[in-house]
Amino acid sequence: QVGSSCTPPWLGEDRQAAAPNGAMAVATPRSGRALGSARQHSQRGPLKVAGAVAAGRLGRTGFSLDGQGLDGLRNPQLSQALMALKRAGHNHEDWRKVPAQTLLVSSAAQSGPSSALEAPLLFSTAVYVGTAQACNLGSYWAPEFEAPGASLVDCRHFARPVSCLYRQGQLPALQRPPPQPRKAAASADFLVCEARSHPLDVAARLLATAPGRHIAVLRFASLQDLRNESVRQVHCTDDQVFLRTSYVQAFERMERDLQLPIGEALESGLIYTSGVGLLRGRLQEGAAWLREPPKIDVIWIGIPAFPEKGASKHGLQDWYIDDADRAAMCRILDLAFASAASRGCEALVLPPVGCSSHACSHPALGVASAIREVAQRYKEFLPQVIVSSDHPSHFRGTCWDDFEEVVRTGKPRPDPLVVVPPLPCPPWVLSRKSAKEVKERKAVVAKALLEQEAQTARCDRILSSRRPELACQLLSG
């Protein structure tokens, strides 16, 4: 396990880097041949096809973890990622054997103007390749290959996660009350928030303390994001489910399981994948391999990217301004909670859905209010709900504290602030005078001052002469 001193600074940066043209990318090709009839019968527009070709998803070599070459280390899916690592000077063939410290140090050692972009790309690509090779070959060494006492871990039982579709408006049947109702957790432990922890880390900790528990982890994406139909590792904070779990194998067979394109499936409901293996630990610690990899379920939902927020001048910038947007969020969360409860999950771990990550920007406190409202409906069926995040954008100022307060107490949306109306402006407009006008104005003012001084001096002389008739004549005149 690598200490925090080896952690590169970009693992904690508030940046979501985008891969430039020709960068080492991380988009892996996917061919229609590997998807069988599900791909042939799907209707795709020319723009989607062009975007797929640009992302390298369509090709002649096929796209599947089933095909192996060079002892399973270089299959069609990993060819681009391995070539990117080779261009960066890393010629390893078996990335399961690369120590975690080597990954961190080699990524942090990148220098140059583009190092801030290339370092996270290299690290995430290396982690992804090692995880994909472990899923492909069915084994790895924990905690790492060269560590004293390293053991060979068999992960072949994670080879086939299965995905299914839950459609909107068709909630799974729940018996009320259940025949053997589970003991509900205490109110303080039912709905909690954990800061600085990724949902996968929370799930790993729960399964380490109580092996055999059934835990579901929720992930989300924008409905308009074209990356939903391709595997891309752009930055370590984007989506770790492809870097640390066997979810990539489920993704390759997802359209075949659903008999529907992924984009259409997300628009019509959610995708529930069971039997996903959690193979690696925290990325900040080098993504060390786990000796006893647990199984989790992954729930994938799609949400609108940019709903309308309240006006900042009214103090409502962290709340939904339109009740229809909040209702849409509650509906998709309700479907996610219902699917987890129907599968018998004992805990549901979810991030702040749509809050300043994954190409979405939802109001944080509005999302917190929706999570609490939906969670209370399923308190009888889900003993524990945990909201966690390690995304840097969620910890600016008091953002996380305010989010946790709404989740914990259900604080309602406040009344809008009263804005003071602007003062009326005068009906005339001041204009700048020319130099000639200014000179004339000064002459007039100087002449008026001289006349006023002469009049004052005359009055003083008359009063001092003690001639009342002249004083009365002056005052009357």
Side-chain angles (χ1 to χ4, degrees):
Q1 194 172 31
V2 182
S4 59
S5 60
C6 298
T7 303
W10 43 261
L11 273 177
E13 286 186 354
D14 185 9
R15 180 186 300 118
Q16 292 186 358
N21 294 333
M24 51 222 70
V26 270
T28 50
R30 181 152 59 103
S31 171
R33 299 182 182 181
L35 297 175
S37 59
R39 172 74 70 178
Q40 297 173 4
H41 295 288
S42 61
Q43 300 293 331
R44 299 184 180 273
L47 292 180
K48 289 187 177 182
V49 173
V53 173
R57 290 175 50 246
L58 302 177
R60 296 175 299 174
T61 59
F63 185 70
S64 174
L65 285 176
D66 297 333
Q68 299 183 5
L70 295 179
D71 297 329
L73 298 177
R74 188 182 297 276
N75 51 53
Q77 179 190 2
L78 303 179
S79 59
Q80 290 189 3
L82 287 170
M83 289 175 60
L85 293 171
K86 186 176 181 180
R87 288 195 300 268
H90 304 286
N91 297 320
H92 303 283
E93 286 291 340
D94 193 348
W95 282 89
R96 301 173 301 165
K97 300 180 180 180
V98 179
Q101 185 174 2
T102 303
L103 295 177
L104 287 175
V105 173
S106 62
S107 300
Q110 298 293 321
S111 60
S114 60
S115 60
L117 177 63
E118 293 181 358
L121 286 174
L122 284 175
F123 179 74
S124 58
T125 303
V127 173
Y128 165 72
V129 171
T131 303
Q133 288 179 342
C135 295
N136 191 21
L137 299 177
S139 63
Y140 60 84
W141 291 266
E144 59 185 36
F145 179 70
E146 298 179 354
S151 58
L152 183 65
V153 179
D154 187 359
C155 60
R156 287 176 295 180
H157 53 293
F158 298 129
R160 188 59 174 98
V162 179
S163 301
C164 65
L165 175 64
Y166 285 89
R167 295 184 180 275
Q168 285 278 13
Q170 299 179 0
L171 295 179
L174 298 176
Q175 298 181 5
R176 292 183 180 274
Q180 297 179 351
R182 285 171 286 178
K183 202 174 197 182
S187 58
D189 298 329
F190 164 66
L191 182 59
V192 296
C193 295
E194 291 196 13
R196 310 287 180 182
S197 297
H198 192 272
L200 292 178
D201 299 330
V202 176
R205 177 179 57 80
L206 294 177
L207 291 169
T209 56
R213 294 184 64 183
H214 194 178
I215 296 178
V217 176
L218 186 140
R219 65 181 297 255
F220 68 92
S222 168
L223 291 174
Q224 293 80 25
D225 195 346
L226 296 179
R227 296 175 297 177
N228 292 339
E229 300 189 4
S230 63
V231 181
R232 303 189 194 183
Q233 300 78 43
V234 179
H235 197 273
C236 296
T237 58
D238 276 356
D239 197 352
Q240 299 184 19
V241 71
F242 289 104
L243 305 181
R244 300 171 53 185
T245 72
S246 62
Y247 189 75
V248 63
Q249 290 191 318
F251 185 86
E252 294 311 311
R253 305 177 178 94
M254 192 168 287
E255 292 191 351
R256 197 187 313 173
D257 290 343
L258 304 178
Q259 292 297 303
L260 194 69
I262 293 177
E264 297 180 16
L266 291 176
E267 291 178 358
S268 60
L270 62 81
I271 301 174
Y272 193 104
T273 304
S274 58
V276 177
L278 180 56
L279 308 181
R280 312 193 76 158
R282 290 171 54 87
L283 293 182
Q284 290 80 356
E285 299 172 355
W289 298 95
L290 302 180
R291 291 185 180 273
E292 297 181 359
K295 279 187 177 182
I296 59 174
D297 293 350
V298 178
I299 304 174
W300 187 6
I301 64 174
I303 59 175
F306 300 102
E308 187 177 0
K309 301 180 182 180
S312 58
K313 65 179 181 180
H314 296 151
L316 301 176
Q317 66 274 13
D318 292 327
W319 299 87
Y320 290 106
I321 192 61
D322 190 354
D323 292 338
D325 294 333
R326 186 182 185 278
M329 174 63 74
C330 289
R331 281 196 300 271
I332 189 62
L333 289 177
D334 188 62
L335 184 59
F337 276 71
S339 62
S342 66
R343 293 295 188 102
C345 294
E346 302 175 49
L348 175 62
V349 187
L350 67 158
V353 180
C355 298
S356 302
S357 63
H358 297 75
C360 297
S361 180
H362 284 241
L365 302 186
V367 172
S369 175
I371 290 176
R372 175 178 175 82
E373 176 184 333
V374 177
Q376 294 299 325
R377 302 175 192 168
Y378 294 90
K379 189 174 182 179
E380 185 180 2
F381 302 96
L382 284 172
Q384 194 172 20
V385 177
I386 301 177
V387 185
S388 65
S389 173
D390 63 347
H391 201 283
S393 64
H394 297 158
F395 301 96
R396 298 174 182 169
T398 61
C399 293
W400 183 260
D401 296 334
D402 297 339
F403 182 90
E404 184 176 2
E405 180 184 3
V406 175
V407 171
R408 181 169 36 88
T409 63
K411 177 182 175 182
R413 184 177 68 179
D415 296 330
L417 299 177
V418 178
V419 181
V420 178
L423 297 177
C425 296
W428 59 86
V429 179
L430 297 178
S431 60
R432 186 178 182 87
K433 296 182 179 180
S434 62
K436 182 179 179 180
E437 293 175 342
V438 172
K439 186 176 180 179
E440 293 176 354
R441 177 62 179 170
K442 288 182 178 180
V444 172
V445 172
K447 184 178 179 181
L449 290 176
L450 291 175
E451 293 178 353
Q452 183 178 2
E453 291 176 358
Q455 184 72 10
T456 303
R458 184 184 175 194
C459 291
D460 292 341
R461 288 195 304 270
I462 293 174
L463 293 176
S464 61
S465 64
R466 297 182 179 180
R467 297 177 64 181
E469 64 278 3
L470 292 179
C472 294
Q473 181 181 359
L474 178 65
L475 292 175
S476 63

